[in-house]
Amino acid sequence: MTQGGAARRTVLGAAVLAAGAGAAGLAAGPASATGGGHGGGGYRSLPSPTVIGHRGASGYRPEHTLGSYGLALDLGSDVVEQDLVPTKDGHLVCRHENEIGGTTDVADHPAFAHRRTTKSVDGAPVTGWFTEDFTLAELKTLRAKERIPALRQRNTLYDGQWAVPTFEEVLRWADREGRRRGRRIWLHVETKHPSYFRSLGLGLEEPLARLLRRYGRDGRDAAVFLQSFEPSSIQRLSRLVSAPRVVLLSAAHTRPWDFEQAGDPRTVADLVRPDGLKWIAGFAQGIGPTLDLVVPRDAEGRLGTPTALVGDAHARGLVVHPYTARNENSFLPAEYRRGADAAAYGDALGALRAYFAQGIDGIFTDNPDTALLAAEAFRPGRRPVNG
């Protein structure tokens, strides 16, 4: 499939109907040069700004399913994101959180009713069902569903269509898709709550590194980004593999959970200053800030004055991949909302262009086709699709 914008203009038609086809027939064995990490250049060779399918194409399909990942590619994503949590028996599976009551049909399984519980995850009480209490075989009896049905009612049509994928299944899927599409399939892989899981004897980094080595995605030019909100997880991964790494950054006043546990007084506000970015550049190649760290919103929810973050990060050699662009009014800055319906689409293209104008290197988005349309005008040497 070509990278050019013109070939993608018709993708929302027949390609959408075929998006789930990639879920079947997973190829066995390690990744090839086309689908895996060798050859084809490193992350600097990606189109910029890069379109990163956030949990796949989660604006259109239940997140973290092979159907969502496949659709993300069909809609033009340059990279597809996975979040990793472990099962009780140590397998890495793709879920945004270890609590799965909102993203699977576990509540409909009487055999698992007694496993509903309340836990403290990164210092916050969470009630539900947790992947670390299920074996992989048990988890495979569940089916994925839409996480926010009130906003994305159309996505509920696809509830129950896909199982929860393991990360190894995703690596095999990416290998097969790479061969089919004739290009490397880039992944953006997050370790979720790594300190919490390490305290349970379910460390994420070591099994992740083993899988990356097995499937040829452990090298400096591997077609994968490794990301975490906990800098210590990225530091640990830097000692295990050479694949490019990104430190995720939440709201300015917050502290990473590993900082909380270690008594490190720094907040995200400290990390986005030049000295904090210099520290990050010692073990990572990029940052993934919340969009508000790039352009804050004022008291009315409108975009305010851009910060110096993008320029400061670039001065230290770091790429900038903010999160998360979405089409619905409820997620957009106030001046880009259209009407009073929170679930209706606003001027998402206008908002994306405002962010791209800041010089960011890529963006996480639930709607890859929308982001691609906006990104084309900012890609050097390319004629905009909407030009």
Side-chain angles (χ1 to χ4, degrees), residues 156-281:
T156 63
L157 173 65
Y158 305 99
D159 286 356
Q161 295 302 303
W162 295 285
V164 174
T166 68
F167 184 53
E168 184 162 20
E169 287 172 335
V170 172
L171 289 168
R172 292 175 178 174
W173 164 85
D175 180 26
R176 188 176 72 85
E177 287 297 303
R179 292 194 300 268
R180 186 169 75 86
R181 297 170 187 265
R183 65 180 181 91
R184 298 199 300 170
I185 304 302
W186 279 78
L187 307 177
H188 219 303
V189 184
E190 180 182 349
T191 57
K192 299 292 294 191
H193 310 298
S195 293
Y196 167 80
F197 286 120
R198 187 163 293 277
S199 74
L200 301 179
L202 291 170
L204 301 174
E205 295 84 3
E206 291 80 8
L208 172 56
R210 285 194 294 271
L211 285 171
L212 294 173
R213 287 192 290 268
R214 185 180 305 166
Y215 287 86
R217 290 178 182 262
D218 58 316
R220 183 174 301 173
D221 291 336
V224 63
F225 293 95
L226 306 177
Q227 55 174 336
S228 183
F229 282 100
E230 296 189 23
S232 62
S233 181
I234 296 301
Q235 290 173 317
R236 187 181 296 272
L237 283 166
S238 74
R239 296 189 290 270
L240 294 170
V241 294
S242 299
R245 300 168 298 277
V246 171
V247 174
L248 299 173
L249 299 166
S250 190
H253 68 278
T254 64
R255 293 168 67 196
W257 181 244
D258 54 343
F259 283 20
E260 294 272 4
Q261 290 195 311
D264 189 327
R266 290 177 296 172
T267 65
V268 169
D270 296 307
L271 296 182
V272 297
R273 296 189 180 106
D275 56 343
L277 294 169
K278 180 180 178 181
W279 177 74
I280 289 173

Side-chain angles (χ1 to χ4, degrees), residues 93-117:
V93 296
C94 300
R95 292 287 89 188
H96 176 55
E97 292 291 343
N98 52 327
E99 198 291 302
I100 54 174
T103 60
T104 74
D105 63 355
V106 63
D108 298 331
H109 291 248
F112 298 138
H114 67 287
R115 297 195 194 177
R116 189 173 188 270
T117 187

Side-chain angles (χ1 to χ4, degrees), residues 258-334:
D258 54 343
F259 283 20
E260 294 272 4
Q261 290 195 311
D264 189 327
R266 290 177 296 172
T267 65
V268 169
D270 296 307
L271 296 182
V272 297
R273 296 189 180 106
D275 56 343
L277 294 169
K278 180 180 178 181
W279 177 74
I280 289 173
F283 56 89
Q285 288 69 48
I287 57 171
T290 177
L291 284 165
D292 289 348
L293 291 174
V294 177
V295 187
R297 300 190 192 188
D298 63 21
E300 297 180 348
R302 301 172 66 88
L303 292 183
T305 302
T307 70
L309 178 57
V310 175
D312 288 346
H314 286 168
R316 282 143 192 89
L318 297 167
V319 296
V320 182
H321 290 169
Y323 66 92
T324 303
R326 299 178 170 102
N327 284 0
E328 293 89 358
N329 278 324
S330 59
F331 300 113
L332 290 169

